[in-house]
Amino acid sequence: MPITLNHTIVPAVDNERDARFFAGIMGLECLPPAGARGHFVPVRVNATLTLDYMTVDDPEGHHLAFDVDPATFDRILARLQERGVPYGNHPADPGNGRVDHPLCARGLFFVDEAPNLYEVMSPG
């Protein structure tokens, strides 16, 4: 059996709100609360991976990067624009409104309240 990543914990200011923000932008599904006390809000990323949002005091953001196809990239970009969420092409300036990424044809960064830095990369 190959090694696969099952889940990772994502620090959140408010686990439900932050999970719904990410899921809404990415077009993904939030699952019912999980964990012994229901303190995780999982977001299904694909068949084998969830991001489990957990409210913590003074969260330190993580960098989470995703490869997507061009059509998915277009839908993510449209949702960011519709919701007025700043995005940009560089992690130091994730609000510059650009998608010309240094490592791929198109890419962008956006942040949540924690502040987790999300990177979305597309080959076209």
Side-chain angles (χ1 to χ4, degrees):
M1 175 178 194
I3 296 173
T4 58
L5 182 62
N6 177 275
H7 72 276
T8 191
I9 305 302
V10 180
V13 173
D14 177 308
N15 59 357
E16 187 171 332
R17 184 180 63 229
D18 292 350
R20 292 194 187 292
F21 168 79
F22 172 74
I25 294 296
M26 298 294 286
L28 300 171
E29 175 188 12
C30 275
L31 301 174
R37 297 175 305 280
H39 58 283
F40 298 119
V41 178
V43 175
R44 170 70 54 208
V45 175
N46 59 39
T48 62
L49 175 63
T50 62
L51 298 183
D52 294 4
Y53 285 76
M54 182 175 78
T55 301
V56 298
D57 294 329
D58 300 317
E60 293 182 17
H62 292 298
H63 177 186
L64 300 145
F66 302 91
D67 291 321
V68 299
D69 61 71
T72 300
F73 184 89
D74 290 339
R75 289 190 298 273
I76 291 167
L77 179 58
R79 286 190 287 267
L80 288 165
Q81 292 169 334
E82 288 166 5
R83 295 169 188 195
V85 175
Y87 62 89
N89 70 338
H90 194 277
D93 191 6
N96 66 22
R98 295 172 50 184
V99 297
D100 54 315
H101 194 281
L103 301 177
C104 57
R106 292 189 304 157
L108 59 83
F109 296 86
F110 65 98
V111 297
D112 67 13
E113 193 176 5
N116 293 299
L117 178 68
Y118 302 101
E119 182 176 12
V120 182
M121 299 178 288
S122 174

PDB file of all heavy atoms in Angstrom, residues 62-88:
ATOM      1  N   HIS A  62      -0.821  28.040   8.382  1.00  0.00           N
ATOM      2  CA  HIS A  62      -0.043  27.089   7.589  1.00  0.00           C
ATOM      3  C   HIS A  62      -0.135  27.481   6.122  1.00  0.00           C
ATOM      4  O   HIS A  62      -1.031  28.212   5.717  1.00  0.00           O
ATOM      5  CB  HIS A  62      -0.581  25.665   7.750  1.00  0.00           C
ATOM      6  CG  HIS A  62      -0.376  25.090   9.101  1.00  0.00           C
ATOM      7  ND1 HIS A  62       0.861  24.874   9.655  1.00  0.00           N
ATOM      8  CD2 HIS A  62      -1.272  24.686  10.032  1.00  0.00           C
ATOM      9  CE1 HIS A  62       0.727  24.347  10.859  1.00  0.00           C
ATOM     10  NE2 HIS A  62      -0.565  24.232  11.109  1.00  0.00           N
ATOM     11  N   HIS A  63       0.777  26.959   5.323  1.00  0.00           N
ATOM     12  CA  HIS A  63       0.739  27.129   3.873  1.00  0.00           C
ATOM     13  C   HIS A  63       0.240  25.812   3.290  1.00  0.00           C
ATOM     14  O   HIS A  63       0.844  24.767   3.500  1.00  0.00           O
ATOM     15  CB  HIS A  63       2.142  27.456   3.358  1.00  0.00           C
ATOM     16  CG  HIS A  63       2.220  27.570   1.872  1.00  0.00           C
ATOM     17  ND1 HIS A  63       3.412  27.739   1.217  1.00  0.00           N
ATOM     18  CD2 HIS A  63       1.282  27.545   0.909  1.00  0.00           C
ATOM     19  CE1 HIS A  63       3.207  27.815  -0.075  1.00  0.00           C
ATOM     20  NE2 HIS A  63       1.911  27.682  -0.293  1.00  0.00           N
ATOM     21  N   LEU A  64      -0.868  25.873   2.567  1.00  0.00           N
ATOM     22  CA  LEU A  64      -1.460  24.689   1.953  1.00  0.00           C
ATOM     23  C   LEU A  64      -1.571  24.952   0.452  1.00  0.00           C
ATOM     24  O   LEU A  64      -2.208  25.925   0.031  1.00  0.00           O
ATOM     25  CB  LEU A  64      -2.839  24.406   2.547  1.00  0.00           C
ATOM     26  CG  LEU A  64      -2.797  24.156   4.056  1.00  0.00           C
ATOM     27  CD1 LEU A  64      -4.035  24.695   4.732  1.00  0.00           C
ATOM     28  CD2 LEU A  64      -2.649  22.685   4.312  1.00  0.00           C
ATOM     29  N   ALA A  65      -0.946  24.107  -0.372  1.00  0.00           N
ATOM     30  CA  ALA A  65      -0.895  24.319  -1.815  1.00  0.00           C
ATOM     31  C   ALA A  65      -1.651  23.210  -2.543  1.00  0.00           C
ATOM     32  O   ALA A  65      -1.558  22.040  -2.170  1.00  0.00           O
ATOM     33  CB  ALA A  65       0.553  24.365  -2.285  1.00  0.00           C
ATOM     34  N   PHE A  66      -2.366  23.596  -3.604  1.00  0.00           N
ATOM     35  CA  PHE A  66      -3.217  22.671  -4.342  1.00  0.00           C
ATOM     36  C   PHE A  66      -2.989  22.827  -5.841  1.00  0.00           C
ATOM     37  O   PHE A  66      -2.944  23.943  -6.353  1.00  0.00           O
ATOM     38  CB  PHE A  66      -4.702  22.953  -4.050  1.00  0.00           C
ATOM     39  CG  PHE A  66      -5.020  22.858  -2.588  1.00  0.00           C
ATOM     40  CD1 PHE A  66      -4.943  23.973  -1.776  1.00  0.00           C
ATOM     41  CD2 PHE A  66      -5.374  21.649  -2.018  1.00  0.00           C
ATOM     42  CE1 PHE A  66      -5.220  23.899  -0.420  1.00  0.00           C
ATOM     43  CE2 PHE A  66      -5.649  21.557  -0.661  1.00  0.00           C
ATOM     44  CZ  PHE A  66      -5.572  22.681   0.139  1.00  0.00           C
ATOM     45  N   ASP A  67      -2.863  21.693  -6.528  1.00  0.00           N
ATOM     46  CA  ASP A  67      -2.850  21.663  -7.992  1.00  0.00           C
ATOM     47  C   ASP A  67      -4.284  21.466  -8.455  1.00  0.00           C
ATOM     48  O   ASP A  67      -4.997  20.593  -7.926  1.00  0.00           O
ATOM     49  CB  ASP A  67      -1.992  20.501  -8.511  1.00  0.00           C
ATOM     50  CG  ASP A  67      -0.509  20.702  -8.242  1.00  0.00           C
ATOM     51  OD1 ASP A  67      -0.035  21.842  -8.374  1.00  0.00           O
ATOM     52  OD2 ASP A  67       0.167  19.711  -7.913  1.00  0.00           O
ATOM     53  N   VAL A  68      -4.700  22.256  -9.429  1.00  0.00           N
ATOM     54  CA  VAL A  68      -6.055  22.125  -9.980  1.00  0.00           C
ATOM     55  C   VAL A  68      -5.984  22.247 -11.501  1.00  0.00           C
ATOM     56  O   VAL A  68      -5.043  22.824 -12.043  1.00  0.00           O
ATOM     57  CB  VAL A  68      -7.017  23.195  -9.407  1.00  0.00           C
ATOM     58  CG1 VAL A  68      -7.150  23.062  -7.894  1.00  0.00           C
ATOM     59  CG2 VAL A  68      -6.596  24.601  -9.792  1.00  0.00           C
ATOM     60  N   ASP A  69      -7.000  21.727 -12.170  1.00  0.00           N
ATOM     61  CA  ASP A  69      -7.075  21.865 -13.620  1.00  0.00           C
ATOM     62  C   ASP A  69      -7.556  23.285 -13.963  1.00  0.00           C
ATOM     63  O   ASP A  69      -8.065  24.005 -13.095  1.00  0.00           O
ATOM     64  CB  ASP A  69      -7.994  20.792 -14.214  1.00  0.00           C
ATOM     65  CG  ASP A  69      -9.405  20.904 -13.690  1.00  0.00           C
ATOM     66  OD1 ASP A  69     -10.111  21.868 -14.073  1.00  0.00           O
ATOM     67  OD2 ASP A  69      -9.808  20.054 -12.878  1.00  0.00           O
ATOM     68  N   PRO A  70      -7.394  23.707 -15.217  1.00  0.00           N
ATOM     69  CA  PRO A  70      -7.760  25.077 -15.590  1.00  0.00           C
ATOM     70  C   PRO A  70      -9.230  25.444 -15.310  1.00  0.00           C
ATOM     71  O   PRO A  70      -9.499  26.567 -14.866  1.00  0.00           O
ATOM     72  CB  PRO A  70      -7.446  25.136 -17.090  1.00  0.00           C
ATOM     73  CG  PRO A  70      -6.324  24.152 -17.263  1.00  0.00           C
ATOM     74  CD  PRO A  70      -6.678  23.019 -16.306  1.00  0.00           C
ATOM     75  N   ALA A  71     -10.156  24.538 -15.537  1.00  0.00           N
ATOM     76  CA  ALA A  71     -11.573  24.848 -15.299  1.00  0.00           C
ATOM     77  C   ALA A  71     -11.843  25.057 -13.805  1.00  0.00           C
ATOM     78  O   ALA A  71     -12.591  25.974 -13.418  1.00  0.00           O
ATOM     79  CB  ALA A  71     -12.465  23.743 -15.857  1.00  0.00           C
ATOM     80  N   THR A  72     -11.239  24.225 -12.968  1.00  0.00           N
ATOM     81  CA  THR A  72     -11.396  24.391 -11.521  1.00  0.00           C
ATOM     82  C   THR A  72     -10.766  25.706 -11.074  1.00  0.00           C
ATOM     83  O   THR A  72     -11.337  26.426 -10.242  1.00  0.00           O
ATOM     84  CB  THR A  72     -10.774  23.198 -10.775  1.00  0.00           C
ATOM     85  OG1 THR A  72     -11.436  22.001 -11.199  1.00  0.00           O
ATOM     86  CG2 THR A  72     -10.905  23.342  -9.269  1.00  0.00           C
ATOM     87  N   PHE A  73      -9.605  26.044 -11.618  1.00  0.00           N
ATOM     88  CA  PHE A  73      -8.966  27.317 -11.294  1.00  0.00           C
ATOM     89  C   PHE A  73      -9.900  28.483 -11.610  1.00  0.00           C
ATOM     90  O   PHE A  73     -10.064  29.408 -10.802  1.00  0.00           O
ATOM     91  CB  PHE A  73      -7.646  27.471 -12.061  1.00  0.00           C
ATOM     92  CG  PHE A  73      -6.890  28.713 -11.692  1.00  0.00           C
ATOM     93  CD1 PHE A  73      -5.986  28.706 -10.648  1.00  0.00           C
ATOM     94  CD2 PHE A  73      -7.090  29.909 -12.386  1.00  0.00           C
ATOM     95  CE1 PHE A  73      -5.291  29.856 -10.294  1.00  0.00           C
ATOM     96  CE2 PHE A  73      -6.407  31.055 -12.038  1.00  0.00           C
ATOM     97  CZ  PHE A  73      -5.509  31.037 -10.989  1.00  0.00           C
ATOM     98  N   ASP A  74     -10.513  28.437 -12.797  1.00  0.00           N
ATOM     99  CA  ASP A  74     -11.439  29.511 -13.194  1.00  0.00           C
ATOM    100  C   ASP A  74     -12.597  29.643 -12.212  1.00  0.00           C
ATOM    101  O   ASP A  74     -12.997  30.754 -11.862  1.00  0.00           O
ATOM    102  CB  ASP A  74     -11.986  29.259 -14.600  1.00  0.00           C
ATOM    103  CG  ASP A  74     -10.927  29.436 -15.685  1.00  0.00           C
ATOM    104  OD1 ASP A  74      -9.905  30.116 -15.441  1.00  0.00           O
ATOM    105  OD2 ASP A  74     -11.140  28.889 -16.783  1.00  0.00           O
ATOM    106  N   ARG A  75     -13.131  28.518 -11.749  1.00  0.00           N
ATOM    107  CA  ARG A  75     -14.255  28.564 -10.791  1.00  0.00           C
ATOM    108  C   ARG A  75     -13.799  29.119  -9.439  1.00  0.00           C
ATOM    109  O   ARG A  75     -14.518  29.907  -8.815  1.00  0.00           O
ATOM    110  CB  ARG A  75     -14.877  27.171 -10.636  1.00  0.00           C
ATOM    111  CG  ARG A  75     -15.654  26.724 -11.873  1.00  0.00           C
ATOM    112  CD  ARG A  75     -16.470  25.471 -11.630  1.00  0.00           C
ATOM    113  NE  ARG A  75     -15.664  24.313 -11.279  1.00  0.00           N
ATOM    114  CZ  ARG A  75     -15.116  23.472 -12.153  1.00  0.00           C
ATOM    115  NH1 ARG A  75     -15.264  23.653 -13.453  1.00  0.00           N
ATOM    116  NH2 ARG A  75     -14.422  22.423 -11.723  1.00  0.00           N
ATOM    117  N   ILE A  76     -12.620  28.732  -8.982  1.00  0.00           N
ATOM    118  CA  ILE A  76     -12.083  29.259  -7.716  1.00  0.00           C
ATOM    119  C   ILE A  76     -11.864  30.757  -7.833  1.00  0.00           C
ATOM    120  O   ILE A  76     -12.268  31.530  -6.948  1.00  0.00           O
ATOM    121  CB  ILE A  76     -10.783  28.524  -7.328  1.00  0.00           C
ATOM    122  CG1 ILE A  76     -11.100  27.068  -6.948  1.00  0.00           C
ATOM    123  CG2 ILE A  76     -10.058  29.249  -6.194  1.00  0.00           C
ATOM    124  CD1 ILE A  76      -9.884  26.171  -6.856  1.00  0.00           C
ATOM    125  N   LEU A  77     -11.248  31.198  -8.912  1.00  0.00           N
ATOM    126  CA  LEU A  77     -11.009  32.622  -9.127  1.00  0.00           C
ATOM    127  C   LEU A  77     -12.332  33.394  -9.151  1.00  0.00           C
ATOM    128  O   LEU A  77     -12.443  34.455  -8.528  1.00  0.00           O
ATOM    129  CB  LEU A  77     -10.223  32.837 -10.426  1.00  0.00           C
ATOM    130  CG  LEU A  77      -9.915  34.280 -10.811  1.00  0.00           C
ATOM    131  CD1 LEU A  77      -9.127  34.992  -9.711  1.00  0.00           C
ATOM    132  CD2 LEU A  77      -9.173  34.321 -12.140  1.00  0.00           C
ATOM    133  N   ALA A  78     -13.338  32.854  -9.826  1.00  0.00           N
ATOM    134  CA  ALA A  78     -14.647  33.523  -9.887  1.00  0.00           C
ATOM    135  C   ALA A  78     -15.266  33.640  -8.493  1.00  0.00           C
ATOM    136  O   ALA A  78     -15.832  34.693  -8.150  1.00  0.00           O
ATOM    137  CB  ALA A  78     -15.579  32.764 -10.827  1.00  0.00           C
ATOM    138  N   ARG A  79     -15.159  32.590  -7.679  1.00  0.00           N
ATOM    139  CA  ARG A  79     -15.722  32.651  -6.321  1.00  0.00           C
ATOM    140  C   ARG A  79     -14.982  33.672  -5.461  1.00  0.00           C
ATOM    141  O   ARG A  79     -15.605  34.404  -4.678  1.00  0.00           O
ATOM    142  CB  ARG A  79     -15.711  31.264  -5.678  1.00  0.00           C
ATOM    143  CG  ARG A  79     -16.783  30.338  -6.251  1.00  0.00           C
ATOM    144  CD  ARG A  79     -16.927  29.054  -5.460  1.00  0.00           C
ATOM    145  NE  ARG A  79     -15.831  28.148  -5.654  1.00  0.00           N
ATOM    146  CZ  ARG A  79     -15.785  27.169  -6.565  1.00  0.00           C
ATOM    147  NH1 ARG A  79     -16.806  26.965  -7.382  1.00  0.00           N
ATOM    148  NH2 ARG A  79     -14.739  26.376  -6.639  1.00  0.00           N
ATOM    149  N   LEU A  80     -13.663  33.746  -5.590  1.00  0.00           N
ATOM    150  CA  LEU A  80     -12.900  34.763  -4.861  1.00  0.00           C
ATOM    151  C   LEU A  80     -13.371  36.164  -5.261  1.00  0.00           C
ATOM    152  O   LEU A  80     -13.613  37.021  -4.404  1.00  0.00           O
ATOM    153  CB  LEU A  80     -11.402  34.610  -5.132  1.00  0.00           C
ATOM    154  CG  LEU A  80     -10.709  33.416  -4.493  1.00  0.00           C
ATOM    155  CD1 LEU A  80      -9.339  33.180  -5.133  1.00  0.00           C
ATOM    156  CD2 LEU A  80     -10.577  33.602  -2.996  1.00  0.00           C
ATOM    157  N   GLN A  81     -13.510  36.383  -6.558  1.00  0.00           N
ATOM    158  CA  GLN A  81     -13.934  37.692  -7.046  1.00  0.00           C
ATOM    159  C   GLN A  81     -15.361  38.016  -6.612  1.00  0.00           C
ATOM    160  O   GLN A  81     -15.633  39.133  -6.164  1.00  0.00           O
ATOM    161  CB  GLN A  81     -13.800  37.745  -8.574  1.00  0.00           C
ATOM    162  CG  GLN A  81     -12.352  37.715  -9.015  1.00  0.00           C
ATOM    163  CD  GLN A  81     -12.173  37.498 -10.507  1.00  0.00           C
ATOM    164  OE1 GLN A  81     -13.025  36.919 -11.183  1.00  0.00           O
ATOM    165  NE2 GLN A  81     -11.038  37.965 -11.040  1.00  0.00           N
ATOM    166  N   GLU A  82     -16.269  37.044  -6.718  1.00  0.00           N
ATOM    167  CA  GLU A  82     -17.661  37.262  -6.317  1.00  0.00           C
ATOM    168  C   GLU A  82     -17.782  37.622  -4.847  1.00  0.00           C
ATOM    169  O   GLU A  82     -18.633  38.422  -4.461  1.00  0.00           O
ATOM    170  CB  GLU A  82     -18.493  36.000  -6.584  1.00  0.00           C
ATOM    171  CG  GLU A  82     -18.767  35.721  -8.035  1.00  0.00           C
ATOM    172  CD  GLU A  82     -19.295  34.314  -8.266  1.00  0.00           C
ATOM    173  OE1 GLU A  82     -19.555  33.564  -7.289  1.00  0.00           O
ATOM    174  OE2 GLU A  82     -19.444  33.948  -9.457  1.00  0.00           O
ATOM    175  N   ARG A  83     -16.939  37.029  -4.012  1.00  0.00           N
ATOM    176  CA  ARG A  83     -17.014  37.238  -2.560  1.00  0.00           C
ATOM    177  C   ARG A  83     -16.119  38.380  -2.079  1.00  0.00           C
ATOM    178  O   ARG A  83     -16.086  38.676  -0.884  1.00  0.00           O
ATOM    179  CB  ARG A  83     -16.656  35.946  -1.838  1.00  0.00           C
ATOM    180  CG  ARG A  83     -17.682  34.863  -2.128  1.00  0.00           C
ATOM    181  CD  ARG A  83     -17.257  33.517  -1.674  1.00  0.00           C
ATOM    182  NE  ARG A  83     -18.218  32.534  -2.176  1.00  0.00           N
ATOM    183  CZ  ARG A  83     -18.321  31.311  -1.745  1.00  0.00           C
ATOM    184  NH1 ARG A  83     -17.530  30.880  -0.788  1.00  0.00           N
ATOM    185  NH2 ARG A  83     -19.212  30.509  -2.257  1.00  0.00           N
ATOM    186  N   GLY A  84     -15.389  38.982  -3.008  1.00  0.00           N
ATOM    187  CA  GLY A  84     -14.512  40.082  -2.633  1.00  0.00           C
ATOM    188  C   GLY A  84     -13.331  39.666  -1.779  1.00  0.00           C
ATOM    189  O   GLY A  84     -12.826  40.457  -0.989  1.00  0.00           O
ATOM    190  N   VAL A  85     -12.881  38.422  -1.948  1.00  0.00           N
ATOM    191  CA  VAL A  85     -11.735  37.917  -1.186  1.00  0.00           C
ATOM    192  C   VAL A  85     -10.459  38.299  -1.937  1.00  0.00           C
ATOM    193  O   VAL A  85     -10.301  37.948  -3.109  1.00  0.00           O
ATOM    194  CB  VAL A  85     -11.810  36.383  -1.006  1.00  0.00           C
ATOM    195  CG1 VAL A  85     -10.563  35.855  -0.318  1.00  0.00           C
ATOM    196  CG2 VAL A  85     -13.069  36.005  -0.255  1.00  0.00           C
ATOM    197  N   PRO A  86      -9.543  39.009  -1.272  1.00  0.00           N
ATOM    198  CA  PRO A  86      -8.291  39.368  -1.941  1.00  0.00           C
ATOM    199  C   PRO A  86      -7.488  38.121  -2.331  1.00  0.00           C
ATOM    200  O   PRO A  86      -7.467  37.134  -1.614  1.00  0.00           O
ATOM    201  CB  PRO A  86      -7.537  40.178  -0.877  1.00  0.00           C
ATOM    202  CG  PRO A  86      -8.580  40.639   0.080  1.00  0.00           C
ATOM    203  CD  PRO A  86      -9.633  39.568   0.084  1.00  0.00           C
ATOM    204  N   TYR A  87      -6.812  38.200  -3.473  1.00  0.00           N
ATOM    205  CA  TYR A  87      -5.933  37.134  -3.943  1.00  0.00           C
ATOM    206  C   TYR A  87      -4.772  37.783  -4.679  1.00  0.00           C
ATOM    207  O   TYR A  87      -4.845  38.945  -5.081  1.00  0.00           O
ATOM    208  CB  TYR A  87      -6.676  36.151  -4.858  1.00  0.00           C
ATOM    209  CG  TYR A  87      -7.193  36.806  -6.115  1.00  0.00           C
ATOM    210  CD1 TYR A  87      -6.405  36.884  -7.257  1.00  0.00           C
ATOM    211  CD2 TYR A  87      -8.447  37.395  -6.148  1.00  0.00           C
ATOM    212  CE1 TYR A  87      -6.858  37.520  -8.402  1.00  0.00           C
ATOM    213  CE2 TYR A  87      -8.913  38.034  -7.276  1.00  0.00           C
ATOM    214  CZ  TYR A  87      -8.115  38.091  -8.405  1.00  0.00           C
ATOM    215  OH  TYR A  87      -8.567  38.736  -9.534  1.00  0.00           O
ATOM    216  N   GLY A  88      -3.695  37.039  -4.839  1.00  0.00           N
ATOM    217  CA  GLY A  88      -2.544  37.555  -5.556  1.00  0.00           C
ATOM    218  C   GLY A  88      -1.608  36.450  -5.974  1.00  0.00           C
ATOM    219  O   GLY A  88      -1.783  35.294  -5.604  1.00  0.00           O
TER     220      GLY A  88
END
